[in-house]
Amino acid sequence: MDKDEIHLRRLPAAAPWGPHADSEFHGVDFLPEDLNEAPEETGMRVNKKYSCLPAEEKGIHIINIRAIEDIGYDQHESTLLNSLSKNPDADCKYGLYFRDGKRKVDYILVYHYKKSSAGKTLTRRVHHNDSSARSTKQDQPLPGKGVQLEMGESEPHVDYHEDDKRFRREEYEGNLVEAGLELERDEDTKIHGVGFVKIHAPWNVLCREAEFLKLKMPTKKMYQINQTHGLLKKINSVIQKITEPIQPKVAEHKPQTVKRLSYPFSREKQHLFDLSDRDSFFDSKTRSTIVYEILKRTTCTKAKYSMGKGEGRKKETTLLNKRRKCGKYGITSLLANGVYSAAYPLHDGDYEGENVEPNDRKLLCEEWASYGVFYKYQPIDLVRKYFGEKIGLYFAWLGVYTQMLIPASIVGIIVFLYGCATVDENIPSMEMCDQRNNITMCPLCDRTCSYWKMSSACATARASHLFDNPATVFFSVFMALWAATFMEHWKRKQMRLNYRWDLTGFEEEEDHPRAEYEAKVLEKSLRKEHKHKETDKEKLTWKDRFPAYFTNFVGIIFMVGLTFAIVFGVIIYRISTAAALAISSTPSGRSSVRVTVTATAVIINLVVIIILDEVYGCIARWLTQIEVPKTDKNFEERLIFKAFLLKFVNAYTPIFYVAFFKGRFVGRPGDYVYIFHSFRMEECAPGGCLMELCIQLSIIMLGKQLIQNNLFEIGIPKMKKFIRYMKLKRRRSLDHEEHMKKKQRYEVDYNLEPFAGLTPEYMEMIIQFGFVTLFVASFPLAPLFALLNNIIEIRLDAKKFVTELRRPVAVRAKDIGIWYNILRGIGKLAVIINAFVISFTSDFIPRLVYLYMYSENGTMHGFVNHTLSSFNVSDFQAGTAPNDPMDLGYEVQICRYKDYREPPWSENKYDISKDFWAVLAARLAFVIVFQNLVMFMSDFVDWIIPDIPKDISQQIHKEKVLMVEVFMREEQGKLQMLETWKDKDKRKGENCNNHSPRLSRSHSGSLSSCHSYPLDV
């Protein structure tokens, strides 16, 4: 037989394929360019290329191909074939259904294939709907195998890597067919070089997998939800009427009075469930979840394509056998190895345009993913129905967080307005602005800086009072209690959602091992086998992971050190720039030194933070990958921990520096602390560092929200979409006929961005939560800006999920996972940090100490003078005195600086005074009292608010009782049926025995059937 010989075998019409022979033809059609040996069969098959006739009506042609690279067909034939069927795309609703227009596409696998160099294409439409198709395919030699090519024979160039991928795909798809799925291949698409495999899960597979996954499905039994009575009922009705305009117009959002009893699906108890409409019993989200579970556990054990011989072939066989023993090459590894390029469920349809059929995606776009409905509640139940519980919980959490920001914003505005109203009554700032005090301050830098008047810092002192006033202490306590209340409110909301979404009692089962983990285990077992050791079930131990752990430790320490180094570099910039600007000859330039340096330094910090955020995200993912976690859940948790640690340090290190370190280690005039023996440490402004902390916090927070969260999320997807559009436009200009065809649904979805997980979405909100709670004592308006950002963020994320991303696989989850623990940790840390900010950064404690210990008349008069120490200018170190000592117009003998030290005329001049120790003791005491008091109040709020709402616990108990009643009735019904059958059997036996012989002979036929009656259980 020649190597290019092609066999056509016609199966008789009376030989159906397996148990599903009455369905459409499912085989493989290859269209050769020239087929002279069997023109009759070829002509019939070409004319019926796209027709799916039952197998019993037509013979089925199976083509055994010996040289796949030599086969192709002309573009003219392709055009002819496409034109023979009458608009097949409309019948299948443009890719939402199989070609028969009946079976829904539940999942899509995408792969790349290469065309032959002569421009010929191999176009196939593959249909699988039964397991016997697999056995038929196995009878055929795989392309490129089963033929020994001699050296020197002329053959086209063969890409063995592509063949290997094709072999793996064929085996994997065959295994999917054996698992019960139905497949249909489409390579005749507008996207050249890309093929699609459409997957449909039939009813029996859905039932089987729903039982395996223990999916809770609604039964026929319905019960009344407990309603409130009396005053609460009236209040609820009033609230519903008031909030009706801000409710989304979706059916799922309407309040329910009755609920179907849910129970884990069981094939043996199908009579309990409402199966009147099987097409809608499992919605698209559940169907895609079931198919994805099958894709993950279905394995492919093909060894890599090899034409080698001898030892290489033996090693290849050993590797293949070992892989089969390991047996874990599911969809995740096939995607990682490039066998498939993408795998995703389909969106329900278009969301815009004329004559678009109503679907959940369109409804979500109108009532959720639109900026025009920013004032409305989110249709969380519809979001869960379309995207699954995990994504639904994220948006529910984001909605609760945004709602809770409303009271925090109102209180923050009140605190800020209180500062504005009392700024003219603040005695310390009035003393600083009073030019009659004539307080001369010591120079801010060596030589180039001169003496200056305290009244020149009047504006800074007045602005500091806006944020540094007694109301900020109350606001810090309020925000600590707010954080505890928010966490408790979310737990209660989460329980309500669990009840509504039938997640009560749901426990996450152990996930499938990741492809990378299986590859490492395989590599380890092969090494042991090479050393002739016994290899039982292998797993990775801490010894295997020690190099990765060590790399993680060193990498994280290096990244944290890099962040500190960058902050230190910005400090050097501030010091050197301040010294350079102080040399300015213009008085206006010298007066704006502090504002200029602070603003530019914060902008530099913001740019560095945004850049390092992206870098640290990539590094955290790489560090997690080299650890090789076993499951996706372990991978996600470790990635979240590393990314949060690095991004937390990156975002908050500059703020921590200003809050707790700036101005603490400057020394005193005549004995300053220097960096590199040339740069003097910078000092706080006369009004304190709190104003600068407020500027730093506000610019970084607003900058991150505006640039990173909004512009990046809007701009980058738009730019990627524009690039894809330009590429497609160039292709369309080359092929006008392809351009005129409407794209299939799976082609449109393939051009969307793949879903990258919820980690980036949660991360930006958690960092924002830190800005709102950690340093709220210095910036009471932080909750307001967070609220304004989140109103946009919700609709922005919604629009991204509905219009910009491929539809994610629905994942069941009953909580937000590790993020809840991170939120609780931030809430506890916020109490400690705010205690230290109030004690050490603000002047709240020094004012209290002065008021109750040193004030002569019980007022704040004299406070500024009390906080300033004196210095004799004759004690300056050589070379550090001002170059122009007469800059103020008079000779200065004594200058003042902010510190608690002994005066120059004291015996222990310039030593720390007892006032310093009194203030320090008061500060530490305040930290201890504030921290314990607020922690106790937070825990009290946590304890007094139950995690599970009372009505929900009652409903859950009611469901259990009703379920027991249903099963008890079922058992009683079975017993009654058995008793009835026994009575019937007994009576019929007695009737038969009482018949006379004559009657028996005349009615022998009826007597023979005395004990024959149908039993329909």
Side-chain angles (χ1 to χ4, degrees), residues 485-534:
T485 308
F486 162 60
M487 300 305 295
E488 289 305 307
H489 178 46
W490 166 243
K491 281 197 289 188
R492 291 168 64 84
K493 177 71 173 179
Q494 192 170 254
M495 281 306 303
R496 289 189 181 277
L497 293 176
N498 285 342
Y499 164 72
R500 225 158 66 202
W501 296 348
D502 297 323
L503 292 173
T504 53
F506 167 70
E507 295 293 337
E508 293 185 10
E509 298 180 358
E510 187 176 358
D511 202 358
H512 299 279
R514 296 174 64 248
E516 292 81 358
Y517 180 85
E518 292 291 346
K520 281 287 183 182
V521 170
L522 173 64
E523 184 181 338
K524 181 180 178 181
S525 59
L526 285 176
R527 283 200 306 266
K528 284 195 173 183
E529 190 179 76
H530 183 68
K531 297 177 181 178
H532 306 289
K533 293 183 179 180
E534 291 294 328

Side-chain angles (χ1 to χ4, degrees), residues 772-839:
V772 169
T773 55
L774 291 180
F775 297 94
V776 74
S778 63
F779 190 39
L781 295 179
L784 174 64
F785 290 114
L787 173 64
L788 297 175
N789 174 80
N790 287 6
I791 290 173
I792 301 173
E793 181 73 20
I794 289 175
R795 307 303 164 180
L796 183 64
D797 283 348
K799 197 171 186 66
K800 182 172 67 174
F801 272 83
V802 173
T803 64
E804 302 289 342
L805 297 179
R806 294 175 191 160
R807 188 173 183 177
V809 179
V811 179
R812 287 189 298 168
K814 62 187 301 183
D815 51 41
I816 59 175
I818 192 175
W819 297 110
Y820 181 81
N821 298 327
I822 293 176
L823 285 169
R824 284 189 67 88
I826 291 177
K828 299 294 183 184
L829 183 63
V831 177
I832 302 171
I833 290 179
N834 280 304
F836 277 95
V837 168
I838 294 170
S839 295

Side-chain angles (χ1 to χ4, degrees), residues 663-676:
R664 309 290 173 194
F665 312 102
V666 295
R668 60 169 180 82
D671 189 20
Y672 284 115
V673 177
Y674 292 89
I675 301 175
F676 306 133

